[in-house]
Amino acid sequence: MNRLNKLFASKNNNLLSIYFTAGYPALNTTVDIAEALEKAGADFLEIGFPYSDPVADGPTIQHSSEVALENGMSLKVLFEELAELRSRVSIPILLMGYFNPIAQYGIERFCKKAAEVGVDGIIVPDLPIYEYENMYSSYFIDNGLSNIFLVTPQTSEERIRKIDDLSSSFIYLLSSSTITGYNLKLSDSVEDYYKRITAMKLNNPTVIGFGITDSSSFAKACNYANGAIIGSRFVKLLGEDGYIDKIDGFVKGIRP
Amino acid sequence: MKIKVCGLKHPENIEAVTALQPDYVGFIFYGKSPRYMAGLPVGALKTIPASIRKTGVFVNESAENIEKLIAEYGFDAIQLHGDESPEFCAKFKGKVTVIKAFGLNENFDFEQLKDYANNIDLFLFDTKTKEYGGSGKTFDWAILDQYKLDIPFFLSGGIGPENIAEVKNITHPQFYGVDLNSRFEIEPGLKNIEKLKDAFNIVKNKTQMKYGVNEQGYYGDFGGAYIPEMLYPNVEELRQQYLNIINDEGFKAEFDDLLKNYVGRPSPLYHAKRYSEKYGANIFFKREDLNHTGSHKINNAIGQILLAKRLGKKRIIAETGAGQHGVATATVCALMGIECVVYMGEIDMARQAPNVSRMKMLGAKVIPATSGSKTLKDATNEALRDWIGNPVDTHYIIGSVVGPYPYPDMVARFQSIISAETKKQLVEHTGSELPQYVLACVGGGSNAMGMFYHFLDDESVKLVAVEAAGKGVNSGESAATTALGNEGVLHGSRTILMQTEDGQVVEPYSISAGLDYPGIGPQHAHLFKSHRGEYVSITDDEALQAGLLCCQLEGIIPAIETAHALAQLEKMKFEANDNVVICISGRGDKDLDTYIKYFNY
Ligand SMILES: Cc1ncc(COP(=O)(O)O)c(C=O)c1O
């Protein structure tokens, strides 16, 4: 059982996860930020590795990726920074990023290295189910890594079942079909969608992401899922001066 | 079309047949048949891959025996060839695929099939004989028109090497596949693998498959649909619908009509005499520049707008590099009265300003892409982001043979009109439909794929694809993808792209906005890797000189993209009788500014 499974086994509501882009605003900040987030009370983290063409991201994360790349961030550099991760941080960690940098690094090597530095799960938005299942799943499984799939309001029930079968820690629900960085609008249809998912009684817990920005959208999301993820709003904070000292207040502001 | 091979009984022969990957294999449990599989060990079926459905064929066998044999041999399907009643069939429905066979002749009463409709999965129509099938004779396939139920059927009876191609003309909507048996044998029960292989190739269009797309959307190692879940429903809808829609007679009629009367097709195949003299071969120009809107891009835009209409879409988005695809899309949207949004890199908007104005005049909204290199790749990113946010009512008209499956195949099909016409026109000019060479420039690769498409299987025809070298392949400012790139994923497909060793996409450079793209379509990646095509590159300077030469020798001002293909002629050696076709993908009006500045006119 990896750290993610343990977390979900011990706590199943109001889980707070934070996303940030490695290498932003500067190199050698990844573990500092992760440590500060753990101290502030975050339950698990997603560390993004940057890509030049992040099609699923809005302006905030696009910008953080650009800066991170200019700073020289890469998977190689990230794994170097993460060497000291597990001496300082104990909450579950996921890596999130696009497929091409992983493919160039080598998928098998990537999975091995991730496991070695103590990563628990991977989110690759543009790695499709078919390719995952038929070509790559063994690398994830052999290294004890959970692969996290996304589900949107347009995902069919049949496909959600399939995703549930392939998942081993949680399923990432998108509040709507959107790129990152837009506010969650809790319209009737979104509510219907969450209810539909709840009624499916999936094997895996669910966490809602994209568009969660503050305590009220966080609380709303937690009505329907085991927790929620904040990304762009936190990445904005990292662009401010003295961000490290603001992390505690940020996290407590989301989940008082 | 599915293929069933029936009447197997020798273990080694079974292995050889299954290696051909039929969809069904059949084993006959009927003592009077010369193909009776008595004594075949259960183990002989164990190695058959799960993708092939093992079918037990029975004639008036008892239900208990059938059940026993299903359990013993692991049959996935049963074929009932005797006088089994609907009730009898119903016993097996849901447990295995139930196929009910009937012998047909001109007096066959199709009414009797009605009672079976709910109790079986497939019919099999054989030739009526005194015995139960196995006659090796055909029946008159025209009577199939009388079959109106919605249960699919296998066609059986006398299908052999000499008539296998004809079955491909059967257009019955429920025609499911062919059953191959006695006409492909060395002796009863022993199949002739070579004959089967040829038949499979004909039925499955295997030669086309060599360079074409497979069911998973791959061309060899390339293709697929590497897209975030947010795009999955949009792309999946297309994948499920595109072939049905574009093969529909109504669609074809509308597409052909617009190509003829709106675009002005067929575009001429012009024998360029002064070029021919200069290069010592028969040089032909396929004049896509004469199309309405001035390039080949309109072929695809027309196809996709008709498709979008049939999908009930209310809004169109597109990316554009040179602006030719943007103009083509804005044009078809005006024609159909549909809202149109075009994403264009900020740099491209400056260097192709006349096209920006054209799009606006046509009623489109042009949104600058300001991220990354501010060119075509970034415009594509922005269009994909828009599509993520508008998953239901919007269709994305991708302008080249790039993107997630099915786009590369769909766009190639719409552009394939270029080579279809060329073949016919070449016969008139030269007496043969095959030239020695075809050439085209490659940005994403749509004009090139359209130019290559119907020559892919004619391996004597050399396919030459010309990329943009920019200021030189090794100058650091280039868009020569195959020279500089390696395998990876870009814009939803596995292909060849220019990237750093960390997998970051490299910003390309070419003077020609339409070729300024760091990838190529996955089918091109496959043609490159399999050496079916030759991929070369031409610098800015070489292209501009070639563009001017074309103006002065032939009175045609080509697009700078096209000029890259023309420049390649300088580097080739021809025999006097060689026939060479170059795709003149577009006209140079949009590039006058660049030409004028370069040559100081
Ligand atoms: C005239 C012309 N030729 C060629 C291209 C390159 O596109 P493709 O490689 O898809 O044919 C363009 C693209 O804008 C174009 O406008």
Side-chain angles (χ1 to χ4, degrees), chain A residues 50-58 62 66 69 73-76 99-105 107 125-131 135-136 150-152 154-155 159 163 174 176-179 210, chain B residues 216 218 223-234 371-372 377-378 380-382 384-392 486-491 494 497 499-506:
Chain A
Y51 177 49
S52 53
D53 294 80
V55 285
D57 287 300
Q62 277 178 48
E66 258 173 59
L69 288 174
M73 181 46 73
S74 65
L75 278 175
K76 192 164 153 277
F99 185 66
N100 198 50
I102 301 179
Q104 296 315 305
Y105 190 85
I107 299 167
D126 59 343
L127 172 59
I129 292 181
Y130 171 80
E131 279 74 8
M135 304 181 198
Y136 310 126
L150 311 186
V151 160
T152 80
Q154 276 74 40
T155 309
R159 193 167 162 83
I163 286 172
L174 262 58
S176 62
S177 183
T178 172
I179 53 176
F210 284 34
Chain B
Q216 299 301 339
Y218 279 85
Y226 290 76
I227 45 168
E229 185 63 25
M230 296 79 101
L231 284 175
Y232 180 84
N234 313 20
S371 58
K377 128 182 129 65
D378 311 283
T380 308
N381 291 340
E382 289 305 334
L384 286 168
R385 288 182 186 122
D386 180 310
W387 209 22
I388 287 174
N390 297 284
V392 181
N486 51 17
E487 295 179 21
V489 169
L490 178 66
H491 294 142
R494 185 177 263 283
L497 65 138
Q499 56 185 322
T500 66
E501 58 175 43
D502 295 327
Q504 309 300 339
V505 182
V506 166

Side-chain angles (χ1 to χ4, degrees), chain B residues 503-516:
Chain B
Q504 309 300 339
V505 182
V506 166
E507 294 176 5
Y509 163 81
S510 163
I511 194 162
S512 126
L515 305 184
D516 197 355

Side-chain angles (χ1 to χ4, degrees), chain B residues 198-212:
Chain B
D198 290 343
F200 273 59
N201 283 341
I202 292 167
V203 172
K204 298 270 183 197
N205 247 340
K206 268 280 155 51
T207 41
Q208 181 70 35
M209 289 302 291
K210 189 162 168 201
Y211 301 110

